[in-house]
Amino acid sequence: GTKQWWFGGGTDLTPTYLDEEDAVHFHKTLKEACDKHDLKLYPKYKKWCDDYFYIKHRGERRGIGGIFFDDVDSPSKEEVFQFVKSCAKSVVPCYIPIVKRHCHDSFTPEEKLWQQLRRGRYVEFNLVYDRGTKFGLLTPGSRIESILMSLPLTARWEYMHNPPESSKEAEILEVLRNPKDWVH
């Protein structure tokens, strides 16, 4: 007899290497979408994203953040739906300029190795911690292939891999271990 509703969603950026211009653009675009509804939403949902995408056994985040929210059921169904639509409409403007800026970038075999290691972290998060993935895997009759299709086609793990200090790889690890405020 009772009806329940809630909204959830989000988006985050998981680059292999840190590009501060990309990070600022991504976060500012999300902040603008949130600010149309309430100035408190972006900081709240950015923190939620940083906390949610934390890989506890690694002490780092999956990426450089974004926004994330779940079980949101106020102020009203229509207001939350308008907020979610604003966020959804911001995804393309968040990502496309970054893709266009980097689609022709060259890379070395060492950079490709680092990419594969970062993809391994993405897999770890999704299979070990992600609520949606775990829910899907535990749902009777679910199509496992559909759930696992969100994982990268290739990934890599190396035992106790640590990049050299002051390297580009160490630079992004610093941000993954200590989230940054990209918009202030």
Side-chain angles (χ1 to χ4, degrees), residues 1 60 67-68 71 107 176:
E60 63 191 46
I67 59 172
F68 182 80
D71 302 319
F107 55 88
L176 299 176

Side-chain angles (χ1 to χ4, degrees), residues 22 26 29 47 52 80 83 117 149 162:
D22 293 346
F26 183 79
T29 305
K47 180 178 180 346
Y52 180 77
V80 179
F83 165 70
L117 292 169
M149 283 180 61
N162 286 307

